Amino acid sequence: MLMGGWHEVAIDCALSLAVQADMTCHPPIFEEDFNWNLLLYLIILPNLAFSMFVGVPHIGQAWSIGVEEQFYIFWPVLLYLAWRLRLPLLGLPTAARAQAAWPARPVTIVVPFPPGGGTDAFARPLFALMGKSTGKQFIIDNKGGAGGNIGADAIAKAAPDGLTIGIAATATHAVNPWLYARMPYDAGKDFAGITQMVRVPNVLVMNAAKAEQLKIHTVADLIAYAKANPAKLNYGSGGNGSAGHLAGEMFKQRAGIYALHIPYRGANPAQLALLAGEVDFNIDNLAAAAPNIRAGKLKALAVTSLDASASLPGVPPLSATFKGFSIDTWWGLVAPAGTPAAVIDKLNAAFTAALKLPDTRTRFAGLMAEPVPSSPKEFGAFMKAQYSRYEGAVKSSGAKVD
């Protein structure tokens, strides 16, 4: 705070007016409204200082001076207070007008996984289409680490102005909150949903030669074999707490069977182990497993989506055996909590339009993915349901990351 001489008088005057206006006076130092702070520091305080030279030591005596002097002292003060009270005076800029200009700068999209991964495969084509259709610049910022927690935390702690948004995923918003002992963000409170972006089914697969040897051609055959041969089956995944691990545990619970879980360092090593006959079955991402399914090296028994997948005709969903069974890999777009609803709506309109383009559907179909545009409210409800759903799966799996 400024202290001493006419500066002290100026601050005293400002505080007196603030009290009369029934508001707390703590002038911001260069917040987002930069021009208004210039008004405070370059116009208001010098004008208040003028009161010292016209013999006004305190604001209560200001009415004893002439009208012209009163005008010079008070008009900028009242203007500043009107802004702090958010009064729509004289057509001055308001939050709504500021939001109408969004985005004023390039939009940064945080991808909470390393470059070159599955998330990038969906994100980059979509954001390239967004740039073409809107004429705006979207910058992808990969922030991998801690299973996606580092990038998700960066999104949560970004300024809520719509200029930094990011990708939410099954891991970051449904699995990790139950898997990690300490989380840097609150998945349920620190984000505002924009739209779900895409989902990819998982698929229950066996080594084709092993399946033929054991005469397993359907999910029912696999369950029957497991019950007839307790403790003989095992399955692989990309690691403790991975989507494949949790899907396997959910399948075991619903089927009432036992199979030993063998974790690998990533989904690709887990699939290689299945191809080599080291494990009996996996629940893998369809996009990753599809080439070997088509090559006849893996046998697909069921997809884990609620409905059958057009990418694997003739392969039933697990929901046909276990009602309501559904566990997809999904990605969506979120903004930091507190982002204005008007900005969220603009983001939603732009991204859902891009997701509905024929080119988008064609690109995603090649990746075994389905675009799933949704409203902010729908996506928020979806994330909340996923968050609750994975609690039991993670806890029953026994997986934990300290």
Side-chain angles (χ1 to χ4, degrees), residues 219 302-303 305-308 315-326:
V219 172
V303 292
S305 52
L306 198 58
D307 301 308
V315 178
L318 267 175
S319 61
T321 305
F322 307 113
K323 186 176 180 180
F325 192 103
S326 174

Side-chain angles (χ1 to χ4, degrees), residues 97-117:
R97 291 188 181 90
Q99 291 165 20
W102 178 93
R105 301 191 303 274
V107 177
T108 296
I109 301 175
V110 177
V111 176
F113 301 101

Side-chain angles (χ1 to χ4, degrees), residues 129-368:
L129 287 170
M130 278 287 296
K132 290 180 182 178
S133 63
T134 64
K136 305 295 183 181
Q137 186 178 5
F138 295 88
I139 301 170
I140 295 180
D141 183 11
N142 291 90
K143 289 185 181 294
N149 286 352
I150 292 175
D153 187 47
I155 301 166
K157 290 180 171 56
D161 54 11
L163 296 175
T164 299
I165 60 176
I167 290 183
T170 313
T172 58
H173 282 68
V175 175
N176 290 359
W178 306 112
L179 180 64
Y180 283 77
R182 292 177 295 277
M183 288 290 289
Y185 58 87
D186 187 324
K189 297 179 180 179
D190 292 345
F191 303 88
I194 297 171
T195 179
Q196 190 175 356
M197 189 170 76
V198 65
R199 68 184 173 203
V200 181
N202 296 311
V203 58
L204 173 58
V205 287
M206 290 189 69
N207 179 295
K210 184 74 172 285
E212 188 62 33
Q213 176 189 344
L214 299 178
K215 296 181 173 53
I216 296 175
H217 307 292
T218 65
V219 172
D221 291 340
L222 177 62
I223 294 172
Y225 179 87
K227 289 183 176 180
N229 299 274
K232 283 192 176 181
L233 286 180
N234 57 35
Y235 76 99
S237 81
N240 286 318
S242 66
H245 178 201
L246 299 177
E249 293 302 309
M250 290 172 70
F251 170 65
K252 284 164 52 179
Q253 288 175 4
R254 295 293 296 270
I257 64 172
Y258 175 80
L260 177 66
H261 172 237
I262 300 179
Y264 290 85
R265 296 189 175 214
N268 190 52
Q271 187 177 136
L272 291 174
L274 181 62
L275 291 168
E278 295 176 13
V279 294
D280 297 314
F281 69 89
N282 285 1
I283 296 183
D284 203 355
N285 184 277
L286 177 56
N292 283 313
I293 294 173
R294 290 172 180 152
K297 296 179 181 180
L298 295 178
K299 181 172 182 61
L301 299 180
V303 292
T304 64
S305 52
L306 198 58
D307 301 308
S309 171
S311 302
L312 283 180
V315 178
L318 267 175
S319 61
T321 305
F322 307 113
K323 186 176 180 180
F325 192 103
S326 174
I327 178 166
D328 298 329
T329 300
W330 56 265
W331 292 272
L333 290 163
V334 292
T339 301
V343 172
I344 294 290
D345 290 342
K346 286 187 177 185
L347 284 162
N348 176 266
F351 277 103
T352 54
L355 286 165
K356 292 174 183 177
L357 291 173
D359 191 25
T360 304
R361 292 192 170 273
T362 300
R363 285 172 180 257
F364 284 3
L367 298 168
M368 307 292 174

